[in-house]
């Protein structure tokens, strides 16, 4: 392995486009039409989606959780 290069046989194999999976992370500050559109777009890519909201406190978190359930989104709300 002169020069820090590995032999050609030990290189990583290339993945086919069908085997590559991505995680879409959608940051949500509040529930409104724009955030729902962002989630819809991410879901349209047919890859896993994570909606991420960070609350400043318990009250904000509960309000967001209630709003999430009200919007009737198809994404699960985790605590």
């Amino acid at each position: 392995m002169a020069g820090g290069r590995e032999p050609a046989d030990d290189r990583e194999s290339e993945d086919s486009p069908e085997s590559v999976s991505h995680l879409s992370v959608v940051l949500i500050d509040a529930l409104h039409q724009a955030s729902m559109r962002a989630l819809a777009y991410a879901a349209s890519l047919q890859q896993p989606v994570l909606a991420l909201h960070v609350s400043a406190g318990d009250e904000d978190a509960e309000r967001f959780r209630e709003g999430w359930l009200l919007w009737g989104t198809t994404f699960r709300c985790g605590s």
Side-chain angles (χ1 to χ4, degrees):
M1 285 189 243
R5 299 187 73 189
E6 295 188 22
D9 294 342
D10 292 340
R11 284 186 273 172
E12 291 184 26
S13 63
E14 293 184 22
D15 293 325
S16 68
E18 296 82 21
S19 68
V20 175
S21 178
H22 298 282
L23 171 65
S24 296
V25 179
V26 180
L27 304 175
I28 300 181
D29 63 337
L31 295 172
H32 42 63
Q33 188 173 7
S35 58
M36 293 298 116
R37 281 185 167 176
L39 283 171
Y41 175 75
S44 76
L45 300 174
Q46 298 181 348
Q47 297 288 322
V49 177
L50 172 66
L52 178 63
H53 172 79
V54 178
S55 295
D58 291 341
E59 271 184 40
D60 290 336
E62 186 57 33
R63 192 172 331 138
F64 184 84
R65 216 175 279 116
E66 288 171 1
W68 186 264
L69 295 173
L70 253 172
W71 275 72
T73 181
T74 59
F75 296 96
R76 183 178 66 83
C77 182
S79 300

